[in-house]
Amino acid sequence: MEVASVPEIPSWLPELLADDGVTELYPPQSAAVEAGITTGESVVASVPTASGKTLVATLAMLSSIERGGKALYIVPLRALASEKHEEFERFEAYGLSIGVSTGNYESSGEWLADADVIVATSEKVDSLLRNNAPWMDDLSCVVADEVHLVDDDHRGPTLEVTLARLKGLAADPQIVALSATVGNAGEVATWLDATLVESEWRPIELRAGVHYGQAAHFDDGSTEELPVTSGEKPTEAIVRDTLDDGGSTLVFVNSRRNAKGAGKRLAGVVGERLTADERSELAEIAAEIRDVSDTQTNDELANAVEHGGAFHHAGLSRRSRSLIEDAFRDRLLKVVAATPTLAAGVNTPSRRVVVRDWRRYDGSVGGMAPLSVLEVHQMFGRAGRPGRDPYGEALLLANSHDELDELFEQYVWASPEPVESKLAAEPALRTHVLSTVASGVARTRDELLAFLKETLYATQTENAAHLESVMDDCVAYLDANEFLTFDRSDGSLAATSLGHTVSRLYLDPMSAAEIVDGLRGVSDPTPLGLYHLVARTPDMYELYLRSGDREAYTMTAYERETEFLGAMPSEFEEARFEEWLSALKTAKLLEDWASERDEDRITDDYGVGPGDIRGKVDTAEWLLRGAEQLAVELELSVGPAIRRARKRVEYGVSEELIDLAGVHNVGRKRARRLFDAGIETRADLRTAEKATVLGAVRGRTKTAEGILEAVGHPNPSMAGVTEPGSDTSGGSPPADGQSTLGDFP
C-alpha cells in the first residue's frame, strides 16, 4: 500500500515520509490501515522489532488529530519518552504541538492541555488520571508502546490499570497497542476491544541460531564457519568476524560486573580496526563521559569508548548511557556489552546480537534461572537495521553439543510465552484500589469490583473470587489506615482527606502508612532518621547487605538508635532485622551524599554505580516531599526538618549550602568552593567580586555569567575579569570537577 493512498492522514505526511525514503507501507503497516488504524478503530499490532510499529502509531495519532482530536503516546521508560518526543518534534513544522511529561507525580499537567501529541510514561499517565487532568477527556487516540510489559511484575499493574481507566473514558478513545510477538496477543486484543494485527514479517532477514565450537548454526538449517582462535573467547571471535564484515555487535550478559568486564575486553578487539577519524570522534565522546562523573567506573567506560567499545547498565548515569546509545546508533561504537534491560529500552540496533548469558540470578528461586523466550526474542530483535544492514543475526552461545540442541529447542524455535496480568497481588492492587476510589471512578464496593472486571486479569482468570478476595483485603487495609472509609451496610466507599493526599502524591499506601506512623510523636527528627524512614518503605529499593555488612550496620544501629523513627526490631527477628539494616545501609548512603562525600568514595563503599546513587537520591527526594505534605495534612510540626533533609539530599550538600546549591548551574561542588571563598548566600552572590566567582567555577566564563544572572546580579558580564592567580596567556581553563551523577546541575 502506498502512503499517499492511506485514508484520513494529513496532506503533508506523504511528502514528509517520502523525504525519509518511505513511500510504501510494510505489510504489517498495511494490515493495520486495513484494520482501521486511520479511521478510529482500536488495534493491537503484535509484530517483530524493526517492522515499523512506530509508523503505525504515527498514522493513528495524526489521522485522529486531523479529525480534531488529541493523542497520547504511552511508553514504559523515561529514556523512551525522550526518544519519541524528539522523533515527533518534526511535526511541529506543520503546526502541531508536542508535549512530554515523565515526572512530578503531583501535577495535573495543565500545560499539556494545548498539546496535540503528549508523550508520557505509564506511571505519569496514572498520576495524571489520579490528579483528574481535565484534558484527559479530550483524548481521541491512546497509543500504548511495549504493551506486553503488562506482564512485568513492577510496571505491569500500573500499565494495566491505566489502560483500563483510559478505555473507560467518556470520550471512548481509540486504543492502539504496540507489542512484540507474544503467545496470546489475541487475548490482549479482546481485553482492549481491538482488532489484532499479527505478523512475523521483518523488512530485512533475521537469522537466529547458536554458536558452538567453530561454527554458527542457524534456524534455516545452514551452518557457517566462525572459528575461535587459541586464547580467544567466542564473543571476541564473533565481534572480530562482524567487524570484518563492516558490522556492529550488541552482547547481552547477565550482570553489571560481566557487562563491564566484557565491554572492556571487547573494546580491545575493536581498537586496532578504527580509522583515524573514528578515533578522534570517540576521544571527544570519551571526554564528555569523563565530564559526567568522577568515578572509577565512568573512567573505565571512557577508556573503553576510546577504543570503540563500551558497557551499558543501570548503574551508569543517565547521561553516560545516553552518550553510549547515541554513539552505538551512529556506529562509532562497534560493540556494546549490556545487561538485558537494554533490550526493552531505547532503539539500539546492531548487525549482530549475541546472547552470551541466557541465565541470570533470580532471588525467588535462590539461584540462576533461564531467561524467558520473550526476553531473548526481544534481544534477538535488536539485530538488523533497515537501511544500514543487509541482514541481522542473533546468536546464543553453547558449551556442548547437548546445549546446542537445548538452546534451539528452548529459544530459537520456541514461541514467546503468553503475557499474564500481575494485578491480583495485594502490593500491586492496594495503590490502584485507593486511586480508583479517590478519583471517583468507584464510589461503592460493587462499582470497584465492576471496574476491576475491566482489567486484563479479569479477562484471563477463571477464578473471579480470588480478585474479589484480594480487593476486599486491600479495602480493609486502606480502611484500617484511615485512607478510605467503607460502610458495610450499603457498601459505600470514600477516600479520606489523607487518602486523597496519598493518591495525589503517587505513594504506595503502605509507604504512606510507614511514614505517617514514623512522623507521629516526633518533634525534631535528624536527617538520618528521615532517610531511614523513607528507605524502609516499599517505594524504595533497599541496598543489599554484603558479606560483613550485618555486623557493621548492627553496630551503627545501636550507636544511633535514638535517631530512628519507630522501634528497631529485635536481632532475633531475623528477616525484619535484615530489612531494617538494609534500609539503614541505604540511609547511610543518602547521609553520605548529603554530607558532600565524594561520589567515587560512595560508589566504592556501597558497591553501586553513579546511576544507582541518582536513583536513590531521586526516590528519597520524592518520598521526603511526600512526607513533608503528609506532615502538613496531619498538622505535625516536623515539616521544616523534613524540608531541610530533602533539600540536602536533593543537592548533595551540608545544611549551610542549601541556599547556594539551589542556584541554577551551581550544584554541590561549586557551592562548597563559593562558600569557602566567603560567598555564603544568594544575597552574597549578588554582590560578590566577579573574580572570586570565576575562581570558584574554575575559570568557566559562561558558567559564571549564568550563575550571576540567575541570582539577579546587576551586571553579570565577565568581560575583562580574570580568575585570581590565573595564567592569562590564553591557555584553556582547567577541568571544573563540578559534574556529579551526570544529571545534577
Side-chain angles (χ1 to χ4, degrees):
M1 179 184 292
E2 292 186 355
V3 173
S5 66
V6 176
E8 299 195 29
I9 59 174
S11 58
W12 47 263
L13 185 59
E15 184 177 350
L16 176 65
L17 293 178
D19 290 342
D20 296 335
V22 178
T23 56
E24 289 194 17
L25 299 181
Y26 292 155
Q29 296 165 342
S30 297
V33 171
E34 291 166 1
I37 199 78
T38 62
T39 57
E41 298 297 322
S42 293
V43 170
V44 170
S46 178
V47 297
T49 301
S51 296
K53 290 195 289 285
T54 299
L55 183 54
V56 170
T58 299
L59 294 173
M61 293 191 299
L62 295 183
S63 60
S64 178
I65 294 166
E66 189 76 357
R67 294 190 295 272
K70 186 184 190 76
L72 174 66
Y73 193 102
I74 305 173
V75 295
L77 302 170
R78 289 189 180 193
L80 268 175
S82 298
E83 182 180 289
K84 293 302 178 185
H85 180 243
E86 290 176 12
E87 189 173 338
F88 298 149
E89 274 185 317
R90 62 182 181 158
F91 302 145
E92 292 183 341
Y94 299 90
L96 272 62
S97 172
I98 314 298
V100 63
S101 185
T102 58
N104 190 4
Y105 294 138
E106 303 159 49
S107 166
S108 60
E110 293 88 350
W111 72 93
L112 297 171
D114 295 328
D116 297 299
V117 177
I118 296 159
V119 183
T121 59
S122 54
E123 289 80 10
K124 179 58 183 179
V125 177
D126 184 26
S127 75
L128 289 166
L129 288 165
R130 295 183 188 206
N131 285 281
N132 296 310
W135 53 264
M136 282 284 187
D137 292 330
D138 299 328
L139 290 175
S140 57
C141 178
V142 173
V143 176
D145 203 354
E146 310 280 356
V147 75
H148 53 272
L149 290 176
V150 293
D151 189 78
D152 184 86
D153 290 327
H154 302 296
R155 294 190 178 93
T158 295
L159 176 58
E160 182 177 346
V161 169
T162 298
L163 286 174
R165 287 278 303 274
L166 291 168
K167 190 162 66 97
L169 289 177
D172 190 26
Q174 171 190 20
I175 305 291
V176 178
L178 311 176
S179 173
T181 51
V182 295
N184 61 335
E187 193 170 45
V188 175
T190 299
W191 166 50
L192 294 174
D193 300 321
T195 301
L196 174 64
V197 172
E198 197 168 20
S199 175
E200 294 293 331
W201 184 90
R202 280 177 55 98
I204 60 173
E205 179 189 13
L206 171 63
R207 295 198 301 170
V210 181
H211 182 275
Y212 168 61
Q214 303 292 311
H217 307 261
F218 291 103
D219 52 357
D220 59 5
S222 65
T223 300
E224 290 186 7
E225 186 179 3
L226 208 166
V228 181
T229 62
S230 177
E232 191 178 42
K233 294 181 180 293
T235 47
E236 294 173 279
I238 294 170
V239 168
R240 173 176 47 76
D241 185 77
T242 312
L243 282 168
D244 289 344
D245 196 36
S248 61
T249 310
L250 184 56
V251 180
F252 286 106
V253 296
N254 59 11
S255 70
R256 296 179 184 184
R257 181 179 179 180
N258 284 340
K260 182 194 287 190
K264 290 163 62 177
R265 186 177 64 253
L266 294 172
V269 178
V270 177
E272 61 192 35
R273 291 172 168 80
L274 296 173
T275 66
D277 286 345
E278 287 173 334
R279 289 181 186 279
S280 177
E281 291 186 70
L282 288 168
E284 291 180 13
I285 296 169
E288 284 191 68
I289 290 172
R290 289 191 176 95
D291 280 344
V292 167
S293 171
D294 55 8
T295 61
Q296 180 181 346
T297 294
N298 219 53
D299 196 48
E300 290 174 322
L301 176 62
N303 290 340
V305 167
E306 286 180 320
H307 292 88
F311 50 91
H312 186 292
H313 57 66
L316 300 176
S317 71
R318 192 177 304 156
R319 178 60 178 156
S320 291
R321 294 198 304 269
S322 178
L323 287 166
I324 294 306
E325 292 156 10
D326 289 345
F328 190 64
R329 272 194 294 268
D330 293 339
R331 300 291 168 96
L332 277 171
L333 286 174
K334 310 301 182 184
V335 60
V336 171
T339 51
T341 51
L342 187 60
V346 293
N347 182 29
T348 49
S350 63
R351 174 74 58 79
R352 268 191 178 132
V353 163
V354 178
V355 182
R356 195 196 77 176
D357 302 332
W358 50 276
R359 296 185 186 91
R360 67 169 168 226
Y361 181 78
D362 185 339
S364 65
V365 299
M368 304 299 284
L371 298 174
S372 70
V373 178
L374 178 58
E375 284 179 288
V376 171
H377 282 206
Q378 282 286 89
M379 296 176 194
F380 283 0
R382 294 293 172 191
R385 180 179 186 174
R388 294 294 298 272
D389 295 305
Y391 61 88
E393 288 183 353
L395 292 168
L396 293 138
L397 304 182
N399 294 315
S400 67
H401 198 279
D402 287 344
E403 193 170 77
L404 169 68
D405 293 338
E406 178 187 353
L407 292 176
F408 264 99
E409 293 289 342
Q410 188 168 336
Y411 292 114
V412 179
W413 289 329
S415 298
E417 302 86 354
V419 298
E420 295 181 359
S421 168
K422 301 298 190 294
L423 181 62
E426 186 175 340
L429 194 58
R430 61 180 173 245
T431 183
H432 297 296
V433 166
L434 177 60
S435 70
T436 303
V437 174
S439 59
V441 172
R443 293 180 172 84
T444 67
R445 179 186 178 279
D446 288 345
E447 288 179 358
L448 178 60
L449 185 59
F451 170 72
L452 293 176
K453 285 182 177 178
E454 294 299 314
T455 62
L456 177 63
Y457 180 83
T459 300
Q460 291 184 324
T461 186
E462 296 180 357
N463 184 11
H466 177 65
L467 179 61
E468 191 170 351
S469 173
V470 176
M471 181 195 77
D472 285 336
D473 288 344
C474 291
V475 169
Y477 174 84
L478 295 168
D479 189 11
N481 284 277
E482 302 177 359
F483 297 136
L484 57 74
T485 59
F486 176 44
D487 188 334
R488 287 166 177 76
S489 64
D490 62 3
S492 62
L493 290 165
T496 63
S497 177
L498 180 61
H500 277 288
T501 299
V502 170
S503 181
R504 177 175 55 81
L505 293 172
Y506 207 70
L507 295 171
D508 182 327
M510 190 172 281
S511 293
E514 184 80 30
I515 291 169
V516 167
D517 185 59
L519 294 180
R520 280 180 168 147
V522 176
S523 58
D524 189 23
T526 66
L528 179 72
L530 290 166
Y531 299 153
H532 185 257
L533 175 62
V534 299
R536 62 179 193 254
T537 65
D539 280 311
M540 175 73 82
Y541 293 105
E542 301 161 350
L543 295 174
Y544 291 110
L545 292 179
R546 297 181 296 184
S547 176
D549 278 353
R550 182 184 171 102
E551 182 179 350
Y553 286 104
T554 297
M555 186 178 300
T556 301
Y558 285 116
E559 288 172 351
R560 304 185 68 172
E561 187 173 2
T562 58
E563 297 184 58
F564 300 131
L565 307 182
M568 183 168 64
S570 165
E571 288 187 60
F572 298 105
E573 298 178 80
E574 291 254 348
R576 284 193 64 215
F577 192 65
E578 287 275 341
E579 285 186 16
W580 183 273
L581 292 183
S582 293
L584 177 56
K585 181 177 180 180
T586 306
K588 279 290 295 171
L589 180 151
L590 294 169
E591 184 184 51
D592 282 354
W593 172 253
S595 301
E596 302 175 52
R597 195 159 192 218
D598 284 345
E599 186 185 0
D600 59 340
R601 293 291 302 277
I602 295 175
T603 57
D604 287 346
D605 288 353
Y606 293 91
V608 298
D612 299 307
I613 301 176
R614 178 60 192 258
K616 295 287 182 287
V617 166
D618 281 352
T619 303
E621 195 273 336
W622 161 57
L623 290 170
L624 288 166
R625 189 183 296 273
E628 198 176 346
Q629 295 193 41
L630 289 173
V632 172
E633 174 74 32
L634 298 169
E635 298 182 348
L636 303 176
S637 62
V638 294
I642 299 172
R643 185 178 187 279
R644 288 192 298 272
R646 175 172 66 82
K647 286 294 184 183
R648 285 188 58 188
V649 81
E650 179 183 0
Y651 300 137
V653 296
S654 301
E655 189 168 336
E656 71 267 23
L657 297 187
I658 290 175
D659 188 37
L660 277 178
V663 176
H664 178 66
N665 247 355
V666 173
R668 69 195 306 242
K669 293 191 176 182
R670 291 176 189 150
R672 174 52 63 192
R673 291 198 292 268
L674 288 166
F675 191 92
D676 290 345
I679 302 171
E680 300 183 1
T681 65
R682 293 177 187 231
D684 294 341
L685 196 49
R686 276 191 290 273
T687 59
E689 288 288 336
K690 293 183 183 179
T692 305
V693 176
L694 189 61
V697 300
R698 303 288 173 85
R700 296 186 179 229
T701 302
K702 289 186 178 179
T703 300
E705 289 177 343
I707 289 171
L708 292 180
E709 186 176 352
V711 295
H713 193 285
N715 179 21
S717 172
M718 283 283 162
V721 179
T722 57
E723 185 181 354
S726 65
D727 177 5
T728 59
S729 61
S732 300
D736 186 22
Q738 168 62 21
S739 55
T740 53
L741 296 194
D743 303 287
F744 283 88

